[in-house]
Amino acid sequence: MSAHGSYQKPARYTMVAILLHWLIALGISALIVIGLVMTQLKISQTLEWKLFQLHKSIGITVLLLVVLRILWRFTHRPPPLPAEVPALGRGAAHGVHWLLYLLMIGMPLTGWAVVSSSPFNLPTVLYNLVPWPDLPILPTLANKAAVSHVLGWVHAYGSWILIGVLVVHIGAALQHHFIKRDTILGRMIPGLGRRA
């Protein structure tokens, strides 16, 4: 093969896994942007209310998609890492992936718990269409305000941890494609190979 335009086709994730991956990525990106706007910018209460409702809706959607993604992963083996990836790199990749899964489950759950324990008792209606229940026990606590405050703290700081892990994940994928020129990124992007 020539060094200028030839590509090697990588082993890929299934199309279902790819679709779930990018839907989750889109949802998390939207959640981060909305969360930053709500907490870091001065906006009207009306806009804050609308963004809060949208944030809850997207958060529950991401939670459901991540559960589907995990079930799919357990029943469909992911493509192997390229042989040239060293053992340390393999361990780091697996560690980051499972940390991401933990955060992608934990963040929506803590957000759901914040709403469920809120003393304001605001209903959750996904996309203004589907009523969504509170988590059990939390709405009946005597010290709801204190519990909601602690859960809100966990959710807020967890979001910064998630952003940090995502930066590492994206940075590693780009490094593999543009510097190491292997097939890592091509496993999740149809039509993307590596230069021979």
Side-chain angles (χ1 to χ4, degrees):
M1 297 182 186
S2 70
H4 297 289
S6 56
Y7 287 87
Q8 179 177 331
K9 184 178 180 181
R12 289 200 177 89
Y13 285 91
T14 64
M15 285 307 300
V16 171
I18 291 172
L19 179 62
L20 287 171
H21 175 276
W22 291 111
L23 284 174
I24 291 167
L26 182 63
I28 291 175
S29 299
L31 288 169
I32 290 172
V33 171
I34 293 170
L36 289 173
V37 169
M38 288 192 305
T39 59
Q40 305 299 316
L41 299 181
K42 291 185 177 181
I43 56 176
S44 68
Q45 285 189 332
T46 301
L47 178 57
E48 184 179 9
W49 167 259
K50 290 180 179 178
L51 290 178
F52 183 61
Q53 298 304 318
L54 182 59
H55 190 81
K56 290 193 293 182
S57 298
I58 297 174
I60 294 298
T61 302
V62 166
L63 176 61
L64 297 175
L65 289 173
V66 172
V67 170
L68 287 175
R69 178 71 184 90
I70 291 172
L71 291 174
W72 188 264
R73 185 182 178 94
F74 280 138
T75 56
H76 296 78
R77 181 182 293 274
L81 290 168
E84 61 265 29
V85 177
L88 182 61
R90 292 172 183 271
H94 290 309
V96 168
H97 271 112
W98 287 112
L99 181 55
L100 270 175
Y101 278 119
L102 179 65
L103 289 166
M104 289 187 299
I105 290 289
M107 290 301 296
L109 283 178
T110 56
W112 189 4
V114 169
V115 173
S116 300
S117 59
S118 172
F120 300 110
N121 298 318
L122 299 175
T124 297
V125 183
L126 304 184
Y127 306 104
N128 293 319
L129 295 172
V130 181
W132 190 258
D134 288 330
L135 286 169
I137 300 175
L138 292 175
T140 63
L141 295 175
N143 57 338
K144 287 171 60 175
V147 171
S148 186
H149 176 75
V150 171
L151 290 169
W153 183 89
V154 172
H155 189 71
Y157 281 93
S159 66
W160 290 109
I161 295 172
L162 175 59
I163 290 171
V165 175
L166 284 173
V167 168
V168 172
H169 177 66
I170 295 167
L174 294 177
Q175 179 197 35
H176 275 283
H177 187 69
F178 292 107
I179 298 176
K180 296 185 177 180
R181 294 182 178 273
D182 59 25
T183 60
I184 293 289
L185 192 57
R187 300 188 315 159
M188 193 53 80
I189 299 181
L192 189 67
R194 72 171 175 186
R195 291 191 182 278

